[in-house]
Amino acid sequence: MDNLRSVTHMENIRLSQDRRSLIIADQTKLPNSHEYIELKTAQEFYDAIYLLKIRGAPAIGVFAGYAACILGAQGPMDSAHAFIAHLEKQCAYLNSSRPTAVNLSWATGRILSRAKELCGLAPEDILPRLFDEAAAIHDEDMDMCRRISEYGLSLLKDGDGVLTHCNAGPLATSRYGTGQGPLFLALEKGVKLHVFADETRPLLQGARLTAYELHKAGADVTLICDNMASIVMKNGWISACMVGCDRVAANGDVANKIGTSGVAILAKHYGIPFYVLGPTSTIDMSCPTGEDIKIELRPEGEIREKFYSQPMALPEVKCYNPAFDVTDNSLITAIITEKGICRPPYAESLKALFE
Ligand code: MRU
């Protein structure tokens, strides 16, 4: 149980005592070393998100909430107007680090709105209230993940095989996770599951992070290459697929890690339920369909050479490296949020969450 709790409750994002820096587990170093780094400047915060030292939509949101406050404190303190103008610029800079996960702009937007509500106060009185808001985002995320995990586990039974893609566990959130939260809760409740983790090319979040977290927690986890999802489904080893999400459009189309839509298409073919799990902060009702979601393109070198001891393609070979894809809502059995389980038609069930 101790190993399990050390994973589900790991402290992957911490505000320093003096509130001038953030301490995070550097996810690019896992699974070989679990190192913490301290970040203070706008450039360091931007790079940490862009380089995936911190990653996973909810974790990026929590991180960005605190980062916005720290950067706010580095700005002018002589007037609320100047303080808020500086904060707005810093939030826009953070938002530009990665475009797809809506939790990033959702969290910085929440800090900025709070600052604007408080514009009648002096900056030194606004600031502590902004840190309270960032801490509230963090606390709410812990609570949401637990609820999502409970709802998700209600869809599974003892002996089930579950296929996951990318990492949507404790490292990607504040606790438990979303897409993989039910798998940790199952361990806590003594429900036996067999997990198959896609390695998730090109950045290997499944191999480096999901397999690491689940193995460390004591789960029965088997790592597979992405192109093996079909065979494990065909073998009858998979009862459900569970994934996280980076942005859910109002019609239920879901952007998540590249390869997710392929898993959903396979699941449909084999008649396996495909579940998406995420907090309501990941649902973007201002985005009508998946067509309207901006997909991040990443450097070609991540395909050609990253993680290889020598390049595996000639430098002149063109690469296309989208970080996410969109799964059509028709392939999704249910979208599981902290407020409950949404079923098709999603245009209605998602709207009801906000009413
Ligand atoms: O590029 P990443 O590693 O940030 O992508 C992460 C994912 O796609 C996750 O599935 C998603 O953010 C949900 S994390 C709870």
Side-chain angles (χ1 to χ4, degrees), residues 31-326:
N32 299 313
S33 89
H34 201 143
E35 283 175 30
Y36 286 82
I37 50 172
E38 188 167 2
L39 312 166
K40 286 190 169 92
T41 66
Q43 183 74 54
E44 286 170 346
F45 293 138
Y46 180 101
D47 288 349
I49 300 173
Y50 180 70
L51 297 172
L52 277 64
K53 290 171 194 255
I54 183 84
R55 50 146 299 285
I60 292 173
V62 171
F63 176 86
Y66 286 125
C69 300
I70 294 169
L71 296 176
Q74 294 171 9
M77 286 302 215
D78 43 338
S79 79
H81 178 76
F83 173 82
I84 292 169
H86 168 80
L87 182 68
E88 195 152 17
K89 230 167 103 188
Q90 300 304 315
C91 288
Y93 179 61
L94 291 173
N95 291 350
S96 67
S97 57
R98 295 192 79 188
T100 307
V102 69
N103 301 62
L104 171 54
S105 55
W106 169 84
T108 56
R110 207 167 132 173
I111 298 296
L112 199 55
S113 307
R114 184 80 184 115
K116 288 179 180 169
E117 270 168 31
L118 299 166
C119 66
L121 302 180
E124 56 271 27
D125 295 322
I126 299 178
L127 199 55
R129 291 169 169 88
L130 299 189
F131 276 111
D132 289 348
E133 190 71 18
I137 292 173
H138 199 172
D139 289 345
E140 286 165 23
D141 190 61
M142 294 182 200
D143 186 53
M144 285 186 304
C145 288
R146 174 75 196 199
R147 285 169 198 269
I148 290 168
S149 304
E150 298 268 5
Y151 282 121
L153 187 56
S154 74
L155 299 166
L156 301 174
K157 58 179 189 326
D158 205 71
D160 274 354
V162 180
L163 184 105
T164 72
H165 191 74
C166 196
N167 175 262
L171 281 161
T173 61
S174 305
R175 271 186 197 167
Y176 291 94
T178 55
Q180 287 136 21
L183 313 178
F184 292 98
L185 196 62
L187 284 169
E188 214 174 276
K189 299 200 171 197
V191 178
K192 290 194 176 56
L193 300 174
H194 310 286
V195 184
F196 288 83
D198 280 354
E199 67 174 351
T200 318
R201 280 279 291 151
L203 295 183
L204 304 176
Q205 290 92 331
R208 294 188 303 104
L209 309 174
T210 300
Y212 166 78
E213 287 178 330
L214 285 165
H215 176 75
K216 211 164 166 250
D220 172 12
V221 57
T222 305
L223 180 63
I224 57 170
C225 299
D226 299 327
N227 52 8
M228 297 167 189
S230 177
I231 194 168
V232 294
M233 291 187 192
K234 189 169 186 186
N235 287 351
W237 296 346
I238 307 299
S239 332
C241 301
M242 287 193 161
V243 298
C245 46
D246 285 84
R247 193 180 295 244
V248 179
N251 71 342
D253 290 346
V254 167
N256 191 50
K257 179 50 53 193
I258 190 71
T260 302
S261 68
V263 175
I265 291 165
L266 288 174
K268 182 97 171 175
H269 177 78
Y270 290 110
I272 296 166
F274 184 88
Y275 299 120
V276 172
L277 299 91
T280 45
S281 53
T282 309
I283 301 171
D284 183 358
M285 295 304 279
S286 72
C287 180
T289 73
E291 295 275 311
D292 307 293
I293 300 176
K294 183 165 182 207
I295 300 293
E296 173 185 8
L297 284 179
R298 296 198 53 92
E300 298 183 12
E302 289 180 351
I303 295 181
R304 252 188 238 115
E305 59 225 16
K306 198 171 169 80
F307 299 118
Y308 294 128
S309 59
Q310 52 185 329
M312 285 297 141
L314 294 173
E316 0 6 289
V317 170
K318 277 194 292 177
C319 299
Y320 171 54
N321 186 12
F324 302 96
D325 60 22
V326 173

